[in-house]
Amino acid sequence: MADVNNAPWLTFVGWGESGTSGLTAASQTALEQASTVFGARRHLDLLPDINADVIEWPVPFSDGIPLLLAKRGQRVVMLVSGDPFWFGAGTSVSKHLQPNEWTAIPSQSTFSLASSALGWPLERATCLGLHAAPLNRIRPYLQPCQKLIVLLRDGAAVRDLAGLIASLGFAESTLHLLEALGGERQRIRVFSAGEQPPDDINHPVAVAIDVAGSGPAMPRTPGLPDSFFEHDGQITKQTVRALTLSALSPMPGELLWDIGTGSGSVAIEWLLAHPQNRAISFEASTDRAATARRNALNLGVDWLDIIEGRAPDVLGDQPLPDAVFIGGGLTEPLLETLWQRLPEGTRLVANAVTLESEALLVQWQDNKGGELQRIALSSAGAIGSRRGWKAQYPIVQWRVTL
């Protein structure tokens, strides 16, 4: 570990396609004083002869961490694309270091280069790093008239992304293919998502998307239409789900336990509320757990963690949540386990449909407090040649803070 009184031994230097000509004086000095320089092959190809050991960062990325840490205490530079901490390698590497061990000198990010090249106001564009993440994460952002700037792994990913966008009903979207921005190899080409992308795509690559098409786009309010979810009927329906999400009150960075997740709809909408949110779904049915996984992937929240098994048995050593939703499998032992394990301040929402589970909630609300309400919904339907109200099963909902 570096001495707190000494200067950091590692410097992240933001690196672009212009090589050393685009570096600041501080970055130039860091390179001149370095005893070892790490970088990807495409970075090192732009590096002139220097008086330092030059080490190519290996693939997979994690294999380079021990090599870097072995140089601890020496003067080390790591060349990182653009801004090391905006979808950059700096985030991954710094997890292994103390804050006083490193410093960073960013250069222009691909996002800023793209917005400058296209004349897009960067503060109004959505910036996504999908070079090491499932392309489906773009799904919530496919909204007409929105502008997206997406980092991608390679040309194959460009073709896959264009096909995905077209398949979701946004084939009219304009894609700006951005290759090697900021250097001599820079090239910008334009095509629609419904067209075949070029075959000769140079790395590094990004795509700026002007979204257009009939969708369907995903509403940003709680309560997605049920049609967005694959399900076997075991789903918290749209209106009840909206009321349930309102009761759960997701806030950025919070963790949800969704017990008896079914199709995963509540957990998925919890994750859609903010990209830093986390959720663990518990489901006794293997088939429904698989369905929830597919729904999470298709709707752009692939990080939903799904545990197969019956609660409370599977709650085990799971990290404690900020909120809990019980949509299925409501029992006395489950509530007793939750009250023993959950910390003070945890929000709990339970929905009951059967008379037995309703009676259980009435009993627990009487003992523990909280708010108990009955949600009764009716929809207009045909009665012979006329119309009338068709009642759905009423839901009894208990909201309580432990």
Side-chain angles (χ1 to χ4, degrees), residues 15 112 129 139 160 325 362 375 380:
W15 192 256
S112 61
R139 182 65 182 96
D160 291 343
F325 172 59
V362 170
I375 304 169

Side-chain angles (χ1 to χ4, degrees), residues 100-141:
N100 58 285
E101 292 190 82
W102 55 266
T103 188
I105 309 174
S107 64
Q108 281 186 293
S109 69
T110 300
F111 301 116
S112 61
L113 290 169
S115 64
S116 297
L118 299 176
W120 286 11
L122 186 55
E123 73 277 6
R124 297 183 187 176
T126 297
C127 299
L128 300 173
L130 300 184
H131 47 297
L135 298 180
N136 290 68
R137 289 193 185 182
I138 200 173
R139 182 65 182 96
Y141 304 98

Side-chain angles (χ1 to χ4, degrees), residues 14-97:
W15 192 256
E17 290 296 302
S18 58
T20 55
S21 65
L23 295 182
T24 64
S27 296
Q28 291 275 14
T29 299
L31 271 177
E32 292 168 359
Q33 296 179 349
S35 59
T36 304
V37 175
F38 286 88
R41 170 47 50 195
R42 62 187 179 86
H43 295 153
L44 300 181
D45 287 343
L46 298 172
L47 186 68
D49 291 336
I50 58 174
N51 187 26
D53 293 332
V54 177
I55 301 176
E56 181 177 351
W57 196 273
V59 178
F61 184 88
S62 58
D63 288 355
I65 301 296
L67 303 178
L68 178 69
L69 297 181
K71 301 292 184 179
R72 182 179 257 132
Q74 303 179 30
R75 290 186 178 275
V76 180
V77 163
M78 182 177 180
L79 304 179
V80 181
S81 297
D83 187 336
F85 290 91
W86 198 356
F87 298 111
T91 304
S92 300
V93 173
S94 62
K95 294 176 182 177
H96 302 271
L97 305 171

Side-chain angles (χ1 to χ4, degrees), residues 128-130 133-141 253-256 267-281 292-307:
L128 300 173
L130 300 184
L135 298 180
N136 290 68
R137 289 193 185 182
I138 200 173
R139 182 65 182 96
Y141 304 98
E254 288 193 322
L255 171 64
L256 172 73
I268 288 169
E269 292 217 43
W270 171 278
L271 295 176
L272 288 169
H274 195 276
Q276 293 179 14
N277 284 0
R278 297 164 295 141
I280 303 174
S281 289
R293 289 190 184 93
R294 289 193 296 272
N295 282 330
L297 178 63
N298 292 337
L299 295 177
V301 289
D302 55 279
W303 61 96
L304 174 62
D305 189 6
I306 299 177
I307 307 296

Side-chain angles (χ1 to χ4, degrees), residues 375-398:
I375 304 169
L377 301 172
S378 299
S379 302
I383 302 178
S385 61
R386 296 180 179 272
R387 294 190 301 160
W389 294 109
K390 290 187 176 181
Q392 301 177 19
Y393 285 118
I395 303 291
V396 173
Q397 184 176 89
W398 182 34

Side-chain angles (χ1 to χ4, degrees), residues 124-194:
R124 297 183 187 176
T126 297
C127 299
L128 300 173
L130 300 184
H131 47 297
L135 298 180
N136 290 68
R137 289 193 185 182
I138 200 173
R139 182 65 182 96
Y141 304 98
L142 292 177
Q143 308 280 343
C145 302
Q146 296 303 298
K147 296 184 183 298
L148 317 177
I149 304 175
V150 184
L151 306 183
L152 294 172
R153 182 180 60 257
D154 51 26
V158 173
R159 291 185 283 275
D160 291 343
L161 182 64
L164 175 63
I165 293 171
S167 71
L168 292 171
F170 297 93
E172 300 170 27
S173 299
T174 299
L175 275 60
H176 303 263
L177 181 58
L178 310 168
E179 303 165 80
L181 289 179
E184 294 181 357
R185 299 185 302 124
Q186 174 173 309
R187 181 167 57 176
I188 300 176
R189 292 178 282 178
V190 181
F191 62 99
S192 74

Side-chain angles (χ1 to χ4, degrees), residues 229-381:
F229 299 94
E230 176 190 347
H231 63 90
D232 61 359
Q234 190 71 14
I235 183 174
T236 302
K237 298 295 178 58
Q238 179 182 14
T239 304
V240 175
R241 192 181 336 116
L243 294 171
T244 299
L245 266 295
S246 176
L248 287 168
S249 303
M251 288 179 277
E254 288 193 322
L255 171 64
L256 172 73
W257 280 5
D258 182 6
I259 299 174
T261 196
S263 65
S265 62
V266 170
I268 288 169
E269 292 217 43
W270 171 278
L271 295 176
L272 288 169
H274 195 276
Q276 293 179 14
N277 284 0
R278 297 164 295 141
I280 303 174
S281 289
F282 303 92
E283 177 53 54
S285 166
T286 298
D287 289 342
R288 287 173 179 162
T291 298
R293 289 190 184 93
R294 289 193 296 272
N295 282 330
L297 178 63
N298 292 337
L299 295 177
V301 289
D302 55 279
W303 61 96
L304 174 62
D305 189 6
I306 299 177
I307 307 296
E308 293 186 32
R310 192 172 301 279
D313 299 339
V314 293
L315 300 181
D317 298 326
Q318 299 300 325
L320 295 177
D322 301 285
V324 176
F325 172 59
I326 306 174
L330 179 64
T331 63
E332 183 94 26
L334 173 58
L335 291 174
E336 290 175 348
T337 299
L338 293 175
W339 240 261
Q340 292 169 4
R341 290 201 57 199
L342 297 179
E344 184 178 349
T346 303
R347 307 186 299 279
L348 184 144
V349 176
N351 289 354
V353 178
T354 67
L355 292 175
E356 291 78 9
S357 56
E358 177 180 332
L360 185 59
L361 291 188
V362 170
Q363 173 191 341
W364 275 74
Q365 190 269 340
D366 186 51
N367 291 331
K368 303 296 185 182
E371 180 182 354
L372 196 66
Q373 61 182 3
R374 189 170 186 263
I375 304 169
L377 301 172
S378 299
S379 302

Side-chain angles (χ1 to χ4, degrees), residues 218-234:
M218 292 171 58
R220 304 314 297 264
T221 53
L224 290 177
D226 295 344
S227 59
F228 278 93
F229 299 94
E230 176 190 347
H231 63 90
D232 61 359
Q234 190 71 14

